Amino acid sequence: MPLVTTKELLSHADAEGYAVGAFNAINMESAQAIIQAAEEENSPVIIQVTQTTLAYTEPEELAALIFALVEKAEIPAAAHLDHGRTFETIVQFLRLGFTSVMMDGSLQADGKTPRTYEENVEVTKLAVRAAHSVGVTVEGELGRLGQIGSEISDAEAEHSLTDPDMAAKFVEETGVDTLAVSIGTTHGLYKGAPTIVHDRLRLIDDRVRIPLVMHGGTGVPDDAVKEAIQLGIRKVNIDTQIRVAFYAAIGDALRLAEKEHAQADAAGAVRKYDVRKLMKPARDAMRDAVRDRIRVFGSSGKASGITGF
Ligand code: G3H
Ligand code: ZN
């Protein structure tokens, strides 16, 4: 099936009150796992590549793989640039044919130094102008992700939460289609259960009439995610949960292989090496992790309701 835009997917999600999972792919097996999971759940899906992955693989290669998988898939999928840090990266992914891009304007190109609000607006407006000229969806970001009660104090975390009035102003000034908000989540594994500030999310959703995005989806308790979806979250980003599933499965497969090698050694037989015996269980584990999230986000079975599917 042809790629669709995130805007198309999230407007259906908005109408039906669910969220679409956005899952990070870094190689063939993770990309296959994401699409397999969505097909098995008959669910729309967003397959995304984050800017830091570009240090690992050429975007053209990963894009070609993703486009081939989506072309064959029987479910609607968008291809999204996650955490794009520069206007140049945005243009690169527009040229590749991605149907959705995130201009992560909250941080400078180094991914660490905060941008000012004005700098964020300026670079995001540029990204919106370029992307909208070719029909591509733009996600913006306001606020700095931070787990409440972890390294940063509650006061600092409170300060990092997205301000509803600033959010409304930002959406108005930039024209973004979706907005990543800071409501207590953070990337990676949490130290203890995160506190999702649903009251703040409700205020943001009241002020901002576009779909909202939750980053740092791994480890957010299911009921907290579901409550956030009722309050306007329409895209939930998941990366770490896929990595954890990969590590666990490939660790088991390696231990099994070592046992078989020991048996071969003991029997004076020749050891066998088959990488597929490591990668297939890892791919299956990643697929199951994605299916698990799709069910929680409520998008299972929703593919058929989206035009043309
Ligand atoms: O942009 C990607 C997500 O925010 C990843 O968050 O690794 O905590 O699932 P996560
Ligand atoms: Zn993120």
Side-chain angles (χ1 to χ4, degrees), residues 140 142 145 162 179-183 185 201 204 212-215 233:
L142 194 63
L145 293 189
T162 299
L179 182 67
V181 291
S182 178
I183 50 171
T185 61
L201 176 57
I204 297 168
L212 301 176
V213 182
M214 175 188 278
H215 280 246
I233 292 289

Side-chain angles (χ1 to χ4, degrees), residues 42-115:
N42 186 30
S43 167
V45 75
I46 298 164
I47 185 165
Q48 58 185 22
V49 174
T50 196
Q51 166 121 15
T52 47
T53 299
L54 305 189
Y56 174 72
T57 183
E58 289 305 318
E60 294 77 8
E61 295 161 10
L62 197 46
L65 174 70
I66 288 171
F67 295 162
L69 287 165
V70 172
E71 186 59 36
K72 275 178 35 224
E74 293 300 316
I75 43 94
H80 178 75
L81 165 65
D82 184 31
H83 288 290
R85 289 190 187 137
T86 64
F87 175 66
E88 289 71 15
T89 307
I90 296 288
V91 174
Q92 187 183 21
F93 276 73
L94 294 179
R95 186 164 175 271
L96 282 173
F98 272 54
T99 53
S100 182
V101 291
M102 176 187 186
M103 180 66 242
D104 184 350
S106 57
L107 295 174
Q108 297 289 354
D110 64 8
K112 289 196 280 296
T113 320
R115 279 193 173 104

Side-chain angles (χ1 to χ4, degrees), residues 14-33:
D14 211 29
E16 304 246 329
Y18 65 90
V20 180
F23 303 96
N24 291 75
I26 58 127
N27 64 2
M28 179 182 81
E29 284 78 8
S30 53
Q32 289 173 323

Side-chain angles (χ1 to χ4, degrees), residues 243-258 278 281-282:
R243 302 181 191 184
V244 168
F246 178 90
Y247 267 69
I250 209 147
D252 291 346
L254 271 171
R255 280 185 287 280
L256 179 62
E258 280 154 10
L278 305 180

Side-chain angles (χ1 to χ4, degrees), residues 75-288:
I75 43 94
H80 178 75
L81 165 65
D82 184 31
H83 288 290
R85 289 190 187 137
T86 64
F87 175 66
E88 289 71 15
T89 307
I90 296 288
V91 174
Q92 187 183 21
F93 276 73
L94 294 179
R95 186 164 175 271
L96 282 173
F98 272 54
T99 53
S100 182
V101 291
M102 176 187 186
M103 180 66 242
D104 184 350
S106 57
L107 295 174
Q108 297 289 354
D110 64 8
K112 289 196 280 296
T113 320
R115 279 193 173 104
T116 64
Y117 172 82
E118 291 70 22
E119 288 170 334
N120 187 353
V121 168
E122 192 191 327
V123 72
T124 303
K125 273 169 79 172
L126 214 48
V128 166
R129 224 173 122 204
H132 284 185
S133 66
V134 287
V136 169
T137 303
V138 181
E139 175 183 328
E141 173 163 307
L142 194 63
R144 222 160 28 93
L145 293 189
Q147 178 181 354
I148 295 195
S150 67
E151 294 81 31
I152 58 175
S153 70
D154 282 0
E156 268 182 291
E158 172 68 20
H159 173 69
S160 74
L161 295 178
T162 299
D163 174 90
D165 294 329
M166 287 283 274
K169 185 168 178 284
F170 180 78
V171 169
E172 179 69 28
E173 290 178 350
T174 59
V176 291
D177 304 293
T178 68
L179 182 67
V181 291
S182 178
I183 50 171
T185 61
T186 189
H187 289 128
L189 294 178
Y190 289 99
K191 289 184 178 152
T195 305
I196 307 305
V197 190
H198 290 102
D199 289 348
R200 178 60 63 94
L201 176 57
R202 180 181 290 108
L203 293 173
I204 297 168
D205 189 52
D206 285 347
R207 293 296 320 273
V208 169
R209 301 313 307 153
I210 61 171
L212 301 176
V213 182
M214 175 188 278
H215 280 246
T218 295
V220 178
D222 293 355
D223 55 347
V225 176
K226 288 177 180 172
E227 186 178 348
I229 291 169
Q230 284 170 353
L231 294 171
I233 292 289
R234 292 289 173 256
K235 173 175 178 270
V236 182
N237 285 14
I238 297 286
D239 188 359
T240 302
Q241 186 166 344
I242 297 171
R243 302 181 191 184
V244 168
F246 178 90
Y247 267 69
I250 209 147
D252 291 346
L254 271 171
R255 280 185 287 280
L256 179 62
E258 280 154 10
K259 226 164 95 192
E260 289 166 352
H261 287 166
Q263 286 160 354
D265 295 350
V270 175
R271 287 183 171 194
K272 287 199 175 66
Y273 289 83
D274 183 346
V275 172
R276 293 165 299 184
K277 286 176 79 174
L278 305 180
M279 295 309 284
K280 187 176 180 318
R283 182 173 61 196
D284 293 348
M286 290 190 284
R287 177 206 60 208
D288 295 346

